[in-house]
Amino acid sequence: MGFETLLDEKGFFARLLGPSASGGSRKLLYGPDLPVVLLTGGPGMGKGRLLRAVRDRFAADVPVIYLDCDSPEYAHQAQSEPDARSAATEALFETARRLCTWHGTGGSFAFPRLFTGLAMIATGVADGTPQATATEIERYELLAQRQRFGGLGTGDFWRGVLRGAIRNLLTTLYGQTLDPYSASVSTALLDALLANMAPRGRTEVARIYGAYPGTGDQPEHGLLNLAADFQAGGEARELAENFLFRVLREDLEAAYASMSGYLRRVGRPGLLLDHAESPLGEQLLRAVLTDRRSGQRDRVVIVGTARRADGGALLYGGLPPQEVPAPAQFRPADGVPPLWNRRTDADGAPLADGVLLLRMPFLSGDELRGEIGRRQRRADPEGGTNRRRIDAAVGRLSGGRPHTVIRLAAAAAAFQMPADANDRAILAAPLLLGDGAQQRPVADVLLQELVLEQLPVRLPSEHQDQWLDLLTHLSVAHDEECADVLLRRHQAGQVHRLTAHQVAQLLTDTGWPSCERHFVGDFGLRQLLVYRLYRLLPDGAAWYADHHLLRDHYTGRAADEEAPSGGAFRSAMTHRMNHHLVSGGVDDVVRHLAATLPGRPRKWCAELLEIAQAPYPGRADTRRDRARGLVEVDGPALRRTVDELLHAVWLCEERTRPTGKETARTLAKLLERLTTMDFDGAGQLGRTATEWSGLAENEQPLLRCACTEQLGRRR
């Protein structure tokens, strides 16, 4: 799926994680100041798939931990003791717990520094007694000492070499009778912790927890303040959680930096944060980026995911991304990763300075055809014609988005494309799920996986149940004005409403691209939604209602034919005709075009392209026959020719049918026929005939926009 060069022995991740016992010598990328690597790409781009592949490929050689930051399990585990645990501390505990049982080169890890901080926040247990606190601390006992043979610990942080040192600490707490509603439990625990530490341990605690904000290098105050801040909640709790993440990385650093660690361990440890755009993931990213900006150095490789192409708003400190120097970026096709150096370590510098964006690759044409070929039947009864048609349809509808390619290719494996069908026909193909006992239309599966299972992080809860329906109706919108008209209709009667600007921002935050001519800017997503809209009600009633609504809205603004629409169209009249075309008004549109052509061929051609950039309704597609003059149309020669030309251009503009040489010849013939007619400016259409036929022959759009440019780059 395009990941091979990232995962091989000399690839990006091998060099980032460093040498291993089995991998020989690898030249390390970056350091000692490491960038946080963010895999950027919207839904279906394979970010989580790549993270899991990194884990599976390298975790046997170097300690690599994968965390799903969107998992509800962390918050669920914290619910039983909400003042002593949180989703963040549970995620840190899970990370440390896994590393405590790691069996690769150099053996398991210990987290005595993290244990100390978690033990202090355990004083927030609901019961509040020493016994209840000790019971909570027992959860973390595994973290305190690194296990060797026969249960022996390292003996370099706690007194003695047996795990009994921690048991002694807990026994001390169990035996005390203290007021649970005062600070006495915290003080007693702190005394017990320090009493059970070896001199080196006390020195380390003083160094680390003495640096807790506002403690003036006094470790006892640092630990007490850590617990108090955690129990205070809000921003104070986040400060404590972020500090504990730093402490975890300090424990990992200590495991490598000691003499024994230098001799035993290889490579760098890695933490892979899937769904890092979630609140927990964003918090962990902000914590490590802030620490490294302030000069904290550690060797932990942090790789997270980011839906937004710019890495996410957290990197820019509230400033528009275009006003901040763009983070360094790397595309796998570039081959060699870029040089990376932090621009500045000043406290006011944007966090973007500490990031390297790795752009998730779309599948190339060869990769796409290979994926389809692996899933197709061995014999094609139509001699390859159907196969080529399926290949083209999957390529256009997916845009090279890996997950969409996989699903469409699997569904279309035994699919026969109807004659003269629109590409969207394959969206009805059944997809076998799981063990093959269940099947659903592939369109439903993709909408579930790409939209419903990847809701915008900041989508208000009251809109989550209607998000897919709103997007479905917005699939016919071109700009924000157009979208707001639809939103007012489909949110009528609701107290809480989304505006078009808010929806556009939510789409951007989710990683969907924008387009200046289409409100839903991703071509493949828009086709899924258009397909659903036509089938939302019998006979396409929802489709026609939305287009009629927009047609009527722009009818009211079209008194002045040249009035600017302020959006994706040059005039309100052109915008009106676009929606009228696809809602049953083809003949009206033809009459309008025939009447407005004489005397203004250049402007007329531009208007024709805008009118024809419209989806075709979900019924039998007759445009090709009508463009070739095989459908009888009444009227004078000019009107009949304009009718045929409109349908030929519509085929080219919708981008869901192959064009090629036949359509190119049709375009050229119709435009050349117009040049021979007796109207002002007819001769100017000859150049247009040459330009448009050349584009159509090479499957290029006649009117370019962001989403058709993307299609062109991935052909």
Side-chain angles (χ1 to χ4, degrees), residues 561 590-605 607-608 638-639 641-642 645 670-671 674-675 677 679-682 684-685:
E561 189 173 297
V590 171
R591 281 191 290 270
H592 167 78
L593 286 169
T596 56
L597 171 56
R600 48 195 302 275
R602 289 291 184 188
K603 288 184 178 180
W604 184 87
C605 286
E607 291 171 359
L608 172 61
L638 175 61
R639 185 183 298 175
T641 304
V642 167
L645 179 62
L670 294 171
L671 286 165
L674 286 176
T675 64
M677 292 186 181
F679 62 84
D680 187 19
Q684 298 178 32
L685 295 173

PDB file of all heavy atoms in Angstrom, residues 561 590-605 607-608 638-639 641-642 645 670-671 674-675 677 679-682 684-685:
ATOM      1  N   GLU A 561     -28.552  39.372 -14.699  1.00  0.00           N
ATOM      2  CA  GLU A 561     -27.874  38.177 -15.185  1.00  0.00           C
ATOM      3  C   GLU A 561     -26.389  38.182 -14.864  1.00  0.00           C
ATOM      4  O   GLU A 561     -25.772  37.146 -14.685  1.00  0.00           O
ATOM      5  CB  GLU A 561     -28.085  38.056 -16.700  1.00  0.00           C
ATOM      6  CG  GLU A 561     -27.610  36.745 -17.277  1.00  0.00           C
ATOM      7  CD  GLU A 561     -27.996  36.600 -18.733  1.00  0.00           C
ATOM      8  OE1 GLU A 561     -29.195  36.567 -19.023  1.00  0.00           O
ATOM      9  OE2 GLU A 561     -27.084  36.567 -19.562  1.00  0.00           O
ATOM     10  N   VAL A 590     -30.968  24.439 -21.958  1.00  0.00           N
ATOM     11  CA  VAL A 590     -30.574  24.489 -23.369  1.00  0.00           C
ATOM     12  C   VAL A 590     -31.120  25.762 -24.021  1.00  0.00           C
ATOM     13  O   VAL A 590     -30.403  26.447 -24.774  1.00  0.00           O
ATOM     14  CB  VAL A 590     -31.063  23.233 -24.102  1.00  0.00           C
ATOM     15  CG1 VAL A 590     -30.862  23.390 -25.616  1.00  0.00           C
ATOM     16  CG2 VAL A 590     -30.308  21.999 -23.599  1.00  0.00           C
ATOM     17  N   ARG A 591     -32.372  26.084 -23.770  1.00  0.00           N
ATOM     18  CA  ARG A 591     -32.940  27.307 -24.350  1.00  0.00           C
ATOM     19  C   ARG A 591     -32.185  28.541 -23.866  1.00  0.00           C
ATOM     20  O   ARG A 591     -31.897  29.461 -24.644  1.00  0.00           O
ATOM     21  CB  ARG A 591     -34.428  27.415 -23.988  1.00  0.00           C
ATOM     22  CG  ARG A 591     -35.330  26.543 -24.849  1.00  0.00           C
ATOM     23  CD  ARG A 591     -36.789  26.875 -24.648  1.00  0.00           C
ATOM     24  NE  ARG A 591     -37.255  26.453 -23.322  1.00  0.00           N
ATOM     25  CZ  ARG A 591     -37.772  25.244 -23.068  1.00  0.00           C
ATOM     26  NH1 ARG A 591     -37.877  24.352 -24.035  1.00  0.00           N
ATOM     27  NH2 ARG A 591     -38.181  24.942 -21.855  1.00  0.00           N
ATOM     28  N   HIS A 592     -31.834  28.558 -22.579  1.00  0.00           N
ATOM     29  CA  HIS A 592     -31.066  29.694 -22.031  1.00  0.00           C
ATOM     30  C   HIS A 592     -29.707  29.805 -22.716  1.00  0.00           C
ATOM     31  O   HIS A 592     -29.286  30.908 -23.117  1.00  0.00           O
ATOM     32  CB  HIS A 592     -30.887  29.507 -20.520  1.00  0.00           C
ATOM     33  CG  HIS A 592     -29.878  30.434 -19.918  1.00  0.00           C
ATOM     34  ND1 HIS A 592     -30.142  31.754 -19.637  1.00  0.00           N
ATOM     35  CD2 HIS A 592     -28.565  30.224 -19.566  1.00  0.00           C
ATOM     36  CE1 HIS A 592     -29.058  32.319 -19.125  1.00  0.00           C
ATOM     37  NE2 HIS A 592     -28.084  31.406 -19.076  1.00  0.00           N
ATOM     38  N   LEU A 593     -29.021  28.705 -22.866  1.00  0.00           N
ATOM     39  CA  LEU A 593     -27.696  28.728 -23.487  1.00  0.00           C
ATOM     40  C   LEU A 593     -27.779  29.134 -24.955  1.00  0.00           C
ATOM     41  O   LEU A 593     -26.941  29.916 -25.442  1.00  0.00           O
ATOM     42  CB  LEU A 593     -27.036  27.356 -23.355  1.00  0.00           C
ATOM     43  CG  LEU A 593     -26.524  26.982 -21.958  1.00  0.00           C
ATOM     44  CD1 LEU A 593     -26.134  25.502 -21.905  1.00  0.00           C
ATOM     45  CD2 LEU A 593     -25.343  27.861 -21.543  1.00  0.00           C
ATOM     46  N   ALA A 594     -28.758  28.619 -25.661  1.00  0.00           N
ATOM     47  CA  ALA A 594     -28.894  28.978 -27.076  1.00  0.00           C
ATOM     48  C   ALA A 594     -29.195  30.462 -27.240  1.00  0.00           C
ATOM     49  O   ALA A 594     -28.709  31.107 -28.189  1.00  0.00           O
ATOM     50  CB  ALA A 594     -29.995  28.137 -27.717  1.00  0.00           C
ATOM     51  N   ALA A 595     -29.964  31.019 -26.319  1.00  0.00           N
ATOM     52  CA  ALA A 595     -30.332  32.437 -26.419  1.00  0.00           C
ATOM     53  C   ALA A 595     -29.193  33.361 -26.045  1.00  0.00           C
ATOM     54  O   ALA A 595     -29.122  34.499 -26.527  1.00  0.00           O
ATOM     55  CB  ALA A 595     -31.548  32.716 -25.530  1.00  0.00           C
ATOM     56  N   THR A 596     -28.269  32.923 -25.188  1.00  0.00           N
ATOM     57  CA  THR A 596     -27.209  33.802 -24.686  1.00  0.00           C
ATOM     58  C   THR A 596     -25.883  33.624 -25.404  1.00  0.00           C
ATOM     59  O   THR A 596     -24.910  34.312 -25.078  1.00  0.00           O
ATOM     60  CB  THR A 596     -26.986  33.560 -23.176  1.00  0.00           C
ATOM     61  OG1 THR A 596     -26.694  32.177 -22.960  1.00  0.00           O
ATOM     62  CG2 THR A 596     -28.229  33.944 -22.373  1.00  0.00           C
ATOM     63  N   LEU A 597     -25.800  32.711 -26.380  1.00  0.00           N
ATOM     64  CA  LEU A 597     -24.532  32.493 -27.085  1.00  0.00           C
ATOM     65  C   LEU A 597     -24.165  33.623 -28.049  1.00  0.00           C
ATOM     66  O   LEU A 597     -23.004  34.096 -28.008  1.00  0.00           O
ATOM     67  CB  LEU A 597     -24.595  31.157 -27.839  1.00  0.00           C
ATOM     68  CG  LEU A 597     -23.446  30.864 -28.815  1.00  0.00           C
ATOM     69  CD1 LEU A 597     -22.091  30.942 -28.136  1.00  0.00           C
ATOM     70  CD2 LEU A 597     -23.642  29.501 -29.484  1.00  0.00           C
ATOM     71  N   PRO A 598     -25.032  34.093 -28.906  1.00  0.00           N
ATOM     72  CA  PRO A 598     -24.610  35.081 -29.916  1.00  0.00           C
ATOM     73  C   PRO A 598     -23.982  36.330 -29.292  1.00  0.00           C
ATOM     74  O   PRO A 598     -24.487  36.889 -28.317  1.00  0.00           O
ATOM     75  CB  PRO A 598     -25.916  35.424 -30.634  1.00  0.00           C
ATOM     76  CG  PRO A 598     -26.765  34.200 -30.475  1.00  0.00           C
ATOM     77  CD  PRO A 598     -26.441  33.688 -29.097  1.00  0.00           C
ATOM     78  N   GLY A 599     -22.837  36.707 -29.842  1.00  0.00           N
ATOM     79  CA  GLY A 599     -22.168  37.933 -29.431  1.00  0.00           C
ATOM     80  C   GLY A 599     -21.241  37.795 -28.242  1.00  0.00           C
ATOM     81  O   GLY A 599     -20.492  38.731 -27.938  1.00  0.00           O
ATOM     82  N   ARG A 600     -21.195  36.683 -27.560  1.00  0.00           N
ATOM     83  CA  ARG A 600     -20.362  36.551 -26.350  1.00  0.00           C
ATOM     84  C   ARG A 600     -19.825  35.117 -26.212  1.00  0.00           C
ATOM     85  O   ARG A 600     -19.993  34.469 -25.159  1.00  0.00           O
ATOM     86  CB  ARG A 600     -21.167  36.935 -25.107  1.00  0.00           C
ATOM     87  CG  ARG A 600     -22.548  36.297 -25.030  1.00  0.00           C
ATOM     88  CD  ARG A 600     -23.456  36.965 -23.988  1.00  0.00           C
ATOM     89  NE  ARG A 600     -22.905  36.944 -22.668  1.00  0.00           N
ATOM     90  CZ  ARG A 600     -23.025  35.912 -21.808  1.00  0.00           C
ATOM     91  NH1 ARG A 600     -23.640  34.800 -22.195  1.00  0.00           N
ATOM     92  NH2 ARG A 600     -22.517  36.004 -20.601  1.00  0.00           N
ATOM     93  N   PRO A 601     -19.158  34.600 -27.222  1.00  0.00           N
ATOM     94  CA  PRO A 601     -18.744  33.181 -27.186  1.00  0.00           C
ATOM     95  C   PRO A 601     -17.773  32.851 -26.064  1.00  0.00           C
ATOM     96  O   PRO A 601     -17.841  31.759 -25.490  1.00  0.00           O
ATOM     97  CB  PRO A 601     -18.117  32.962 -28.564  1.00  0.00           C
ATOM     98  CG  PRO A 601     -17.736  34.317 -29.045  1.00  0.00           C
ATOM     99  CD  PRO A 601     -18.758  35.255 -28.482  1.00  0.00           C
ATOM    100  N   ARG A 602     -16.842  33.749 -25.747  1.00  0.00           N
ATOM    101  CA  ARG A 602     -15.856  33.451 -24.709  1.00  0.00           C
ATOM    102  C   ARG A 602     -16.529  33.329 -23.340  1.00  0.00           C
ATOM    103  O   ARG A 602     -16.321  32.360 -22.605  1.00  0.00           O
ATOM    104  CB  ARG A 602     -14.782  34.538 -24.677  1.00  0.00           C
ATOM    105  CG  ARG A 602     -13.844  34.513 -25.873  1.00  0.00           C
ATOM    106  CD  ARG A 602     -12.959  33.279 -25.826  1.00  0.00           C
ATOM    107  NE  ARG A 602     -11.991  33.273 -26.910  1.00  0.00           N
ATOM    108  CZ  ARG A 602     -11.207  32.260 -27.193  1.00  0.00           C
ATOM    109  NH1 ARG A 602     -11.281  31.164 -26.479  1.00  0.00           N
ATOM    110  NH2 ARG A 602     -10.363  32.326 -28.203  1.00  0.00           N
ATOM    111  N   LYS A 603     -17.324  34.351 -22.974  1.00  0.00           N
ATOM    112  CA  LYS A 603     -18.030  34.297 -21.692  1.00  0.00           C
ATOM    113  C   LYS A 603     -19.009  33.126 -21.673  1.00  0.00           C
ATOM    114  O   LYS A 603     -19.196  32.470 -20.642  1.00  0.00           O
ATOM    115  CB  LYS A 603     -18.763  35.607 -21.436  1.00  0.00           C
ATOM    116  CG  LYS A 603     -17.852  36.779 -21.106  1.00  0.00           C
ATOM    117  CD  LYS A 603     -18.672  38.017 -20.762  1.00  0.00           C
ATOM    118  CE  LYS A 603     -17.759  39.190 -20.389  1.00  0.00           C
ATOM    119  NZ  LYS A 603     -18.553  40.406 -20.056  1.00  0.00           N
ATOM    120  N   TRP A 604     -19.612  32.875 -22.799  1.00  0.00           N
ATOM    121  CA  TRP A 604     -20.594  31.789 -22.885  1.00  0.00           C
ATOM    122  C   TRP A 604     -19.940  30.432 -22.606  1.00  0.00           C
ATOM    123  O   TRP A 604     -20.504  29.596 -21.888  1.00  0.00           O
ATOM    124  CB  TRP A 604     -21.229  31.809 -24.281  1.00  0.00           C
ATOM    125  CG  TRP A 604     -22.315  30.804 -24.486  1.00  0.00           C
ATOM    126  CD1 TRP A 604     -23.642  30.948 -24.201  1.00  0.00           C
ATOM    127  CD2 TRP A 604     -22.167  29.489 -25.053  1.00  0.00           C
ATOM    128  NE1 TRP A 604     -24.340  29.813 -24.542  1.00  0.00           N
ATOM    129  CE2 TRP A 604     -23.462  28.898 -25.076  1.00  0.00           C
ATOM    130  CE3 TRP A 604     -21.095  28.767 -25.545  1.00  0.00           C
ATOM    131  CZ2 TRP A 604     -23.685  27.614 -25.564  1.00  0.00           C
ATOM    132  CZ3 TRP A 604     -21.318  27.477 -26.036  1.00  0.00           C
ATOM    133  CH2 TRP A 604     -22.606  26.912 -26.037  1.00  0.00           C
ATOM    134  N   CYS A 605     -18.765  30.223 -23.148  1.00  0.00           N
ATOM    135  CA  CYS A 605     -18.061  28.960 -22.904  1.00  0.00           C
ATOM    136  C   CYS A 605     -17.732  28.797 -21.417  1.00  0.00           C
ATOM    137  O   CYS A 605     -17.864  27.689 -20.854  1.00  0.00           O
ATOM    138  CB  CYS A 605     -16.783  28.892 -23.731  1.00  0.00           C
ATOM    139  SG  CYS A 605     -17.067  28.586 -25.488  1.00  0.00           S
ATOM    140  N   GLU A 607     -19.411  30.087 -18.922  1.00  0.00           N
ATOM    141  CA  GLU A 607     -20.676  29.800 -18.237  1.00  0.00           C
ATOM    142  C   GLU A 607     -21.115  28.362 -18.475  1.00  0.00           C
ATOM    143  O   GLU A 607     -21.621  27.688 -17.565  1.00  0.00           O
ATOM    144  CB  GLU A 607     -21.756  30.771 -18.716  1.00  0.00           C
ATOM    145  CG  GLU A 607     -21.526  32.198 -18.252  1.00  0.00           C
ATOM    146  CD  GLU A 607     -22.470  33.188 -18.913  1.00  0.00           C
ATOM    147  OE1 GLU A 607     -23.290  32.754 -19.758  1.00  0.00           O
ATOM    148  OE2 GLU A 607     -22.395  34.388 -18.588  1.00  0.00           O
ATOM    149  N   LEU A 608     -20.926  27.871 -19.692  1.00  0.00           N
ATOM    150  CA  LEU A 608     -21.281  26.492 -20.003  1.00  0.00           C
ATOM    151  C   LEU A 608     -20.530  25.523 -19.097  1.00  0.00           C
ATOM    152  O   LEU A 608     -21.112  24.563 -18.565  1.00  0.00           O
ATOM    153  CB  LEU A 608     -20.978  26.198 -21.473  1.00  0.00           C
ATOM    154  CG  LEU A 608     -21.105  24.740 -21.924  1.00  0.00           C
ATOM    155  CD1 LEU A 608     -22.526  24.231 -21.717  1.00  0.00           C
ATOM    156  CD2 LEU A 608     -20.681  24.596 -23.385  1.00  0.00           C
ATOM    157  N   LEU A 638     -29.330  25.517 -34.076  1.00  0.00           N
ATOM    158  CA  LEU A 638     -28.502  26.058 -32.997  1.00  0.00           C
ATOM    159  C   LEU A 638     -28.874  25.399 -31.673  1.00  0.00           C
ATOM    160  O   LEU A 638     -27.995  24.962 -30.915  1.00  0.00           O
ATOM    161  CB  LEU A 638     -28.667  27.574 -32.909  1.00  0.00           C
ATOM    162  CG  LEU A 638     -27.938  28.257 -31.730  1.00  0.00           C
ATOM    163  CD1 LEU A 638     -26.434  28.016 -31.828  1.00  0.00           C
ATOM    164  CD2 LEU A 638     -28.244  29.747 -31.697  1.00  0.00           C
ATOM    165  N   ARG A 639     -30.153  25.316 -31.400  1.00  0.00           N
ATOM    166  CA  ARG A 639     -30.574  24.747 -30.124  1.00  0.00           C
ATOM    167  C   ARG A 639     -30.205  23.268 -30.050  1.00  0.00           C
ATOM    168  O   ARG A 639     -29.751  22.787 -29.007  1.00  0.00           O
ATOM    169  CB  ARG A 639     -32.080  24.929 -29.929  1.00  0.00           C
ATOM    170  CG  ARG A 639     -32.567  24.451 -28.540  1.00  0.00           C
ATOM    171  CD  ARG A 639     -34.072  24.573 -28.399  1.00  0.00           C
ATOM    172  NE  ARG A 639     -34.493  25.961 -28.518  1.00  0.00           N
ATOM    173  CZ  ARG A 639     -35.766  26.355 -28.527  1.00  0.00           C
ATOM    174  NH1 ARG A 639     -36.735  25.435 -28.473  1.00  0.00           N
ATOM    175  NH2 ARG A 639     -36.087  27.635 -28.644  1.00  0.00           N
ATOM    176  N   THR A 641     -27.761  21.734 -31.541  1.00  0.00           N
ATOM    177  CA  THR A 641     -26.305  21.610 -31.377  1.00  0.00           C
ATOM    178  C   THR A 641     -25.882  21.971 -29.960  1.00  0.00           C
ATOM    179  O   THR A 641     -25.013  21.303 -29.365  1.00  0.00           O
ATOM    180  CB  THR A 641     -25.575  22.505 -32.393  1.00  0.00           C
ATOM    181  OG1 THR A 641     -25.999  22.163 -33.713  1.00  0.00           O
ATOM    182  CG2 THR A 641     -24.068  22.332 -32.280  1.00  0.00           C
ATOM    183  N   VAL A 642     -26.475  23.023 -29.405  1.00  0.00           N
ATOM    184  CA  VAL A 642     -26.167  23.402 -28.023  1.00  0.00           C
ATOM    185  C   VAL A 642     -26.572  22.285 -27.069  1.00  0.00           C
ATOM    186  O   VAL A 642     -25.864  21.984 -26.088  1.00  0.00           O
ATOM    187  CB  VAL A 642     -26.864  24.732 -27.656  1.00  0.00           C
ATOM    188  CG1 VAL A 642     -26.806  24.968 -26.146  1.00  0.00           C
ATOM    189  CG2 VAL A 642     -26.220  25.890 -28.402  1.00  0.00           C
ATOM    190  N   LEU A 645     -23.912  19.660 -27.291  1.00  0.00           N
ATOM    191  CA  LEU A 645     -22.665  20.144 -26.694  1.00  0.00           C
ATOM    192  C   LEU A 645     -22.763  20.158 -25.177  1.00  0.00           C
ATOM    193  O   LEU A 645     -21.810  19.777 -24.477  1.00  0.00           O
ATOM    194  CB  LEU A 645     -22.339  21.538 -27.228  1.00  0.00           C
ATOM    195  CG  LEU A 645     -21.058  22.181 -26.669  1.00  0.00           C
ATOM    196  CD1 LEU A 645     -19.835  21.336 -27.032  1.00  0.00           C
ATOM    197  CD2 LEU A 645     -20.903  23.608 -27.194  1.00  0.00           C
ATOM    198  N   LEU A 670     -18.895  19.276 -32.553  1.00  0.00           N
ATOM    199  CA  LEU A 670     -20.001  20.168 -32.192  1.00  0.00           C
ATOM    200  C   LEU A 670     -19.562  21.626 -32.175  1.00  0.00           C
ATOM    201  O   LEU A 670     -20.286  22.521 -32.645  1.00  0.00           O
ATOM    202  CB  LEU A 670     -20.568  19.755 -30.835  1.00  0.00           C
ATOM    203  CG  LEU A 670     -21.258  18.380 -30.802  1.00  0.00           C
ATOM    204  CD1 LEU A 670     -21.590  17.987 -29.371  1.00  0.00           C
ATOM    205  CD2 LEU A 670     -22.517  18.392 -31.662  1.00  0.00           C
ATOM    206  N   LEU A 671     -18.387  21.895 -31.633  1.00  0.00           N
ATOM    207  CA  LEU A 671     -17.899  23.275 -31.609  1.00  0.00           C
ATOM    208  C   LEU A 671     -17.599  23.773 -33.020  1.00  0.00           C
ATOM    209  O   LEU A 671     -17.853  24.937 -33.350  1.00  0.00           O
ATOM    210  CB  LEU A 671     -16.665  23.370 -30.715  1.00  0.00           C
ATOM    211  CG  LEU A 671     -16.955  23.296 -29.203  1.00  0.00           C
ATOM    212  CD1 LEU A 671     -15.683  23.019 -28.413  1.00  0.00           C
ATOM    213  CD2 LEU A 671     -17.595  24.597 -28.713  1.00  0.00           C
ATOM    214  N   LEU A 674     -20.731  24.768 -34.652  1.00  0.00           N
ATOM    215  CA  LEU A 674     -21.182  26.092 -34.219  1.00  0.00           C
ATOM    216  C   LEU A 674     -20.432  27.207 -34.949  1.00  0.00           C
ATOM    217  O   LEU A 674     -20.989  28.276 -35.225  1.00  0.00           O
ATOM    218  CB  LEU A 674     -21.002  26.247 -32.705  1.00  0.00           C
ATOM    219  CG  LEU A 674     -21.984  25.487 -31.808  1.00  0.00           C
ATOM    220  CD1 LEU A 674     -21.614  25.662 -30.338  1.00  0.00           C
ATOM    221  CD2 LEU A 674     -23.424  25.957 -32.034  1.00  0.00           C
ATOM    222  N   THR A 675     -19.145  26.974 -35.265  1.00  0.00           N
ATOM    223  CA  THR A 675     -18.370  28.031 -35.926  1.00  0.00           C
ATOM    224  C   THR A 675     -18.911  28.339 -37.323  1.00  0.00           C
ATOM    225  O   THR A 675     -18.661  29.417 -37.876  1.00  0.00           O
ATOM    226  CB  THR A 675     -16.886  27.627 -36.054  1.00  0.00           C
ATOM    227  OG1 THR A 675     -16.778  26.487 -36.898  1.00  0.00           O
ATOM    228  CG2 THR A 675     -16.280  27.339 -34.695  1.00  0.00           C
ATOM    229  N   MET A 677     -22.120  28.479 -38.081  1.00  0.00           N
ATOM    230  CA  MET A 677     -23.469  29.035 -38.003  1.00  0.00           C
ATOM    231  C   MET A 677     -23.429  30.549 -38.071  1.00  0.00           C
ATOM    232  O   MET A 677     -22.392  31.184 -37.786  1.00  0.00           O
ATOM    233  CB  MET A 677     -24.174  28.546 -36.728  1.00  0.00           C
ATOM    234  CG  MET A 677     -24.481  27.064 -36.750  1.00  0.00           C
ATOM    235  SD  MET A 677     -25.455  26.530 -35.331  1.00  0.00           S
ATOM    236  CE  MET A 677     -25.600  24.779 -35.675  1.00  0.00           C
ATOM    237  N   PHE A 679     -24.075  33.502 -36.470  1.00  0.00           N
ATOM    238  CA  PHE A 679     -24.316  34.371 -35.301  1.00  0.00           C
ATOM    239  C   PHE A 679     -23.008  35.071 -34.971  1.00  0.00           C
ATOM    240  O   PHE A 679     -21.906  34.603 -35.314  1.00  0.00           O
ATOM    241  CB  PHE A 679     -24.857  33.589 -34.093  1.00  0.00           C
ATOM    242  CG  PHE A 679     -23.935  32.532 -33.549  1.00  0.00           C
ATOM    243  CD1 PHE A 679     -22.929  32.848 -32.634  1.00  0.00           C
ATOM    244  CD2 PHE A 679     -24.075  31.205 -33.939  1.00  0.00           C
ATOM    245  CE1 PHE A 679     -22.100  31.868 -32.132  1.00  0.00           C
ATOM    246  CE2 PHE A 679     -23.244  30.222 -33.443  1.00  0.00           C
ATOM    247  CZ  PHE A 679     -22.246  30.556 -32.534  1.00  0.00           C
ATOM    248  N   ASP A 680     -23.120  36.190 -34.304  1.00  0.00           N
ATOM    249  CA  ASP A 680     -21.980  37.048 -34.005  1.00  0.00           C
ATOM    250  C   ASP A 680     -20.978  36.306 -33.110  1.00  0.00           C
ATOM    251  O   ASP A 680     -21.328  35.801 -32.045  1.00  0.00           O
ATOM    252  CB  ASP A 680     -22.475  38.320 -33.313  1.00  0.00           C
ATOM    253  CG  ASP A 680     -21.348  39.338 -33.133  1.00  0.00           C
ATOM    254  OD1 ASP A 680     -20.331  39.230 -33.836  1.00  0.00           O
ATOM    255  OD2 ASP A 680     -21.501  40.227 -32.273  1.00  0.00           O
ATOM    256  N   GLY A 681     -19.709  36.227 -33.523  1.00  0.00           N
ATOM    257  CA  GLY A 681     -18.642  35.609 -32.743  1.00  0.00           C
ATOM    258  C   GLY A 681     -18.489  34.127 -32.954  1.00  0.00           C
ATOM    259  O   GLY A 681     -17.667  33.485 -32.268  1.00  0.00           O
ATOM    260  N   ALA A 682     -19.203  33.542 -33.890  1.00  0.00           N
ATOM    261  CA  ALA A 682     -19.141  32.096 -34.088  1.00  0.00           C
ATOM    262  C   ALA A 682     -17.728  31.620 -34.388  1.00  0.00           C
ATOM    263  O   ALA A 682     -17.294  30.557 -33.918  1.00  0.00           O
ATOM    264  CB  ALA A 682     -20.090  31.685 -35.207  1.00  0.00           C
ATOM    265  N   GLN A 684     -14.985  32.473 -33.250  1.00  0.00           N
ATOM    266  CA  GLN A 684     -14.066  32.422 -32.110  1.00  0.00           C
ATOM    267  C   GLN A 684     -14.071  31.058 -31.407  1.00  0.00           C
ATOM    268  O   GLN A 684     -13.227  30.805 -30.545  1.00  0.00           O
ATOM    269  CB  GLN A 684     -14.441  33.510 -31.094  1.00  0.00           C
ATOM    270  CG  GLN A 684     -14.329  34.930 -31.643  1.00  0.00           C
ATOM    271  CD  GLN A 684     -14.751  35.967 -30.620  1.00  0.00           C
ATOM    272  OE1 GLN A 684     -14.571  35.786 -29.415  1.00  0.00           O
ATOM    273  NE2 GLN A 684     -15.314  37.075 -31.103  1.00  0.00           N
ATOM    274  N   LEU A 685     -15.006  30.192 -31.750  1.00  0.00           N
ATOM    275  CA  LEU A 685     -15.118  28.907 -31.067  1.00  0.00           C
ATOM    276  C   LEU A 685     -14.144  27.861 -31.598  1.00  0.00           C
ATOM    277  O   LEU A 685     -14.023  26.781 -31.023  1.00  0.00           O
ATOM    278  CB  LEU A 685     -16.552  28.375 -31.187  1.00  0.00           C
ATOM    279  CG  LEU A 685     -17.625  29.213 -30.474  1.00  0.00           C
ATOM    280  CD1 LEU A 685     -19.008  28.693 -30.807  1.00  0.00           C
ATOM    281  CD2 LEU A 685     -17.394  29.186 -28.966  1.00  0.00           C
TER     282      LEU A 685
END
